[in-house]
């Protein structure tokens, strides 16, 4: 009992349950959840209700955001899990380390270069550790690509072509929520692409050197809708008859979980999770193209579009001995709506090796139970259980967290200035 690692969690929204559910259900031998922190008491109370009813775990003490220090003093956690809004991650990561805790943080580690530098400095100053939970690395088909490249299957990697499609269900969700303001999320090139840029860093074993990008809001947002002839607009879906006709609307009162998590909690902070994707005030891009040169000279061409008819990705990796091609169709998932183990679930998958001169062949990858093709349970065991030796070194630290966001942060700057950006001008490691 005394040897159990003690955890508190900050940000009790949709993502939080992935961690507190696993901690209390699957890792109670090694770990103990001892507190929640959030700006919203209703959401914390609901998380406690789920703990009690779904996980058969006693309620934990709750602390509002201004009581974070008090929580650390009273609950004496070893780890702080950060699953709050992206713009707030750095505050909790840094303060947790200053108070002697290690940190497990959701991606993106943070959203801009200043905050990233503050985190890097705090790690040096305090000697504490930060883990960034890149679950995509653990998906078996993603790990397989690392293995194939490590085994020299396609020789030295020279270029990567990476197209990610977000559909009108999942992709649209970023435009209903806090993510639609770049100050909260860094835009999709940070918030979402941090996964993709991390995968490229991980696969090719290198880091970004120079980045150029274009990006714009070309489908969502009021101006685009007006240009397409739309004349009727609304601010939020719930309770609005106009939203009944809108295939992009999310109806918070149609799902008990969504209602308890967001609609019932609005009285506390005014946050509306069901805003119209064709409303005013969206300042993130929905259409993005990025070009990256890596330290090892490899070149990445990357595309992200957030209003596609299907969800998934095409990846081609070219090397001096051949080419890898992966095509994935993902089941689209809306945060807090539906079974979490279905997040990132696959509908279709092909992974092919095309040797420069031999016949192409399919690579079989065994998928297991759990989210992201069985990758999520491996990540969770790495975090909360007895980690197994990992030849692929998938556990990501603050340096991996920084390198994955720096591509997107540089891309944001390139979009703003029209100029390429040298990544080493952004932060000092
Ligand atoms: N790895 C993945 O696959 C994955 C999936 C979903 C979300 N995420 C990450 O999880 C995090 C949370 O996303 P979500 O979808 O749960 O969002 P959410 O809106 O459901 O929850 C965010 C929570 O943060 C709280 N919050 C806001 N400001 C705060 C502050 N100043 N201090 C403390 N708490 C504050 C909100 O009240 C809310 O409870 C994000 O960083 C997101 O990128 C990761």
């Amino acid at each position: 009992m005394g040897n159990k690692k003690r955890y508190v969690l900050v940000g009790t929204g949709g993502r939080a349950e992935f961690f507190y559910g696993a901690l209390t259900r699957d890792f109670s031998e090694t770990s103990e959840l001892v507190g929640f922190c959030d700006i919203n008491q209703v959401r914390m109370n609901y998380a406690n209700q789920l703990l009690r009813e779904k996980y058969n775990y006693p309620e934990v003490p709750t602390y509002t955001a201004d009581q974070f220090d008090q929580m650390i003093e009273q609950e004496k956690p070893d780890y702080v899990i950060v699953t709050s809004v992206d713009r707030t991650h750095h505050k909790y990561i840094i303060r947790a380390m200053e108070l002697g805790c290690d940190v497990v943080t959701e991606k993106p580690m943070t959203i801009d270069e200043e905050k990233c530098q503050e985190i890097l400095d705090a790690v040096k100053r305090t000697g504490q550790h930060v883990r960034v939970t890149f679950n995509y690395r653990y998906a078996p088909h993603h790990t397989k690509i690392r293995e194939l490249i490590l085994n020299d299957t396609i020789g030295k990697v020279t270029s990567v072509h990476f197209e990610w499609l977000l559909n009108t269900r999942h992709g649209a969700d970023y435009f209903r929520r806090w993510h639609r303001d770049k100050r909260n999320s860094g835009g999709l090139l940070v918030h979402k692409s941090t996964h993709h840029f991390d995968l490229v860093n991980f696969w090719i074993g290198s880091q970004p050197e120079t980045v150029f990008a274009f990006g714009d809001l070309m489908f969502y947002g009021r101006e685009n809708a007006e240009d397409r002839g739309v004349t009727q607009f609304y601010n939020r879906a719930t309770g609005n008859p106009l939203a009944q006709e809108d295939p992009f609307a999310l109806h918070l009162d149609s799902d008990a979980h969504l209602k308890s998590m967001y609609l019932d909690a609005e009285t506390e902070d005014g946050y509306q999770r069901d805003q119209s994707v064709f409303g005013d005030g969206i300042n993130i891009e929905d259409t993005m193209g990025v070009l990256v040169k890596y330290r090892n000279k490899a070149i990445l061409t990357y595309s992200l579009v957030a209003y596609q008819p299907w969800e998934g990705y095409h990846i081609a990796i070219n090397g001096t001995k051949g080419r890898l091609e992966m095509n994935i169709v993902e089941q689209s998932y809306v945060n807090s709506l539906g079974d979490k183990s279905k997040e990132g679930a696959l509908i279709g998958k092909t992974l092919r090796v095309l040797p420069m001169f031999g016949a192409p062949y399919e690579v079989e990858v065994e998928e297991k139970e759990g989210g992201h093709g069985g990758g999520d349970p491996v990540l969770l065991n790495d975090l909360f259980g007895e980690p197994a030796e990992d030849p692929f070194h998938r556990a990501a630290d603050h340096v991996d967290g920084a390198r994955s966001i720096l591509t997107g942060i540089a891309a944001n700057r390139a979009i703003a200035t029209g100029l390429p950006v040298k990544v080493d001008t952004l932060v000092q490691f």
Side-chain angles (χ1 to χ4, degrees), residues 93-319:
I93 294 172
I94 292 169
R95 192 64 188 142
M97 291 193 290
E98 287 173 349
L99 296 174
C101 302
D102 287 330
V103 176
V104 173
T105 181
E106 256 305 346
K107 49 55 57 175
M109 188 170 78
T110 185
I111 58 166
D112 63 35
E113 61 271 39
E114 288 89 5
K115 297 179 181 67
C116 183
Q117 186 69 62
E118 285 174 33
I119 294 172
L120 297 175
D121 293 345
V123 171
K124 277 197 193 133
R125 190 168 70 242
T126 61
Q128 299 295 140
H129 297 100
V130 177
R131 281 286 301 273
V132 184
T133 55
F134 284 124
N135 41 357
Y136 269 97
R137 285 183 175 205
Y138 290 82
H141 44 287
H142 293 155
T143 305
K144 182 56 97 178
I145 291 186
R146 177 67 184 140
E147 184 184 338
L148 290 166
I149 290 174
L150 274 176
N151 290 347
D152 202 34
T153 313
I154 57 166
K156 178 176 157 40
V157 173
T158 51
S159 70
V160 180
H161 187 60
F162 196 147
E163 180 188 22
W164 197 285
L165 299 87
L166 293 167
N167 74 0
T168 45
R169 200 169 120 83
H170 179 217
D173 213 32
Y174 299 109
F175 298 82
R176 301 183 187 112
R177 312 175 67 200
W178 49 262
H179 313 65
R180 66 198 252 143
D181 184 351
K182 213 168 200 176
R183 293 186 66 92
N184 286 334
S185 64
L188 292 180
L189 285 172
V190 173
H191 175 82
K192 184 70 195 169
S193 310
T194 180
H195 276 306
H196 314 152
F197 296 140
D198 176 66
L199 281 176
V200 177
N201 296 346
F202 168 64
W203 285 333
I204 71 174
S206 190
Q207 46 183 295
E209 189 184 71
T210 309
V211 176
F212 185 64
F214 287 116
D216 207 346
L217 185 67
M218 300 179 79
F219 177 73
Y220 299 112
R222 182 158 180 149
E223 188 184 4
N224 291 314
E226 280 179 2
D227 286 350
R228 291 193 297 272
V230 176
T231 54
Q232 290 191 306
F233 292 92
Y234 63 92
N235 289 328
R236 65 153 335 160
T238 305
N240 195 315
L242 284 176
Q244 298 301 328
E245 307 300 316
D246 179 5
F248 290 91
L250 181 77
H251 302 280
L252 290 180
D253 45 8
S254 66
D255 178 86
H257 185 57
L258 277 179
K259 181 174 177 300
S260 302
M261 177 88 79
Y262 302 105
L263 196 58
D264 296 349
E266 280 180 12
T267 45
E268 290 263 326
D269 57 15
Y271 172 58
Q272 297 181 344
R273 195 228 178 280
D274 61 345
Q275 296 169 77
S276 164
V277 300
F278 303 116
D280 269 324
I282 297 174
N283 59 18
I284 61 171
E285 299 82 13
D286 58 15
T287 311
M288 293 142 276
V290 183
L291 200 55
V292 185
K293 175 93 185 240
Y294 287 81
R295 285 249 180 109
N296 69 356
K297 301 201 183 330
I299 297 165
L300 167 71
T301 46
Y302 172 83
S303 160
L304 179 65
V305 177
Y307 43 91
Q308 295 294 286
W310 60 274
E311 176 118 346
Y313 43 104
H314 296 298
I315 293 163
I317 306 181
N318 299 308

Side-chain angles (χ1 to χ4, degrees), residues 141 326-329 346-351 362-367:
H141 44 287
M326 187 162 73
N327 296 304
I328 299 280
V329 182
L346 303 186
I347 295 173
K349 174 192 73 187
T350 56
L351 174 57
E362 296 285 330
V363 178
E364 291 301 323
V365 185
E366 194 193 345
E367 305 290 336

Side-chain angles (χ1 to χ4, degrees), residues 10-16 19 37-40 43 65 82-89 91-92 106-108 133-136 177-179 191-192 195 261-262 269 271 273 335-336 343 372:
V10 188
T12 53
R15 185 59 177 168
F19 296 100
C37 175
D38 200 294
I39 50 166
N40 193 307
R43 226 167 350 256
V82 180
T83 53
S84 53
V85 168
D86 301 351
R87 124 178 95 71
T88 67
H89 287 183
K91 287 205 287 189
Y92 295 112
E106 256 305 346
K107 49 55 57 175
T133 55
F134 284 124
N135 41 357
Y136 269 97
R177 312 175 67 200
W178 49 262
H179 313 65
H191 175 82
K192 184 70 195 169
H195 276 306
M261 177 88 79
Y262 302 105
D269 57 15
Y271 172 58
R273 195 228 178 280
N335 202 281
S336 297
E343 190 169 357
H372 295 102

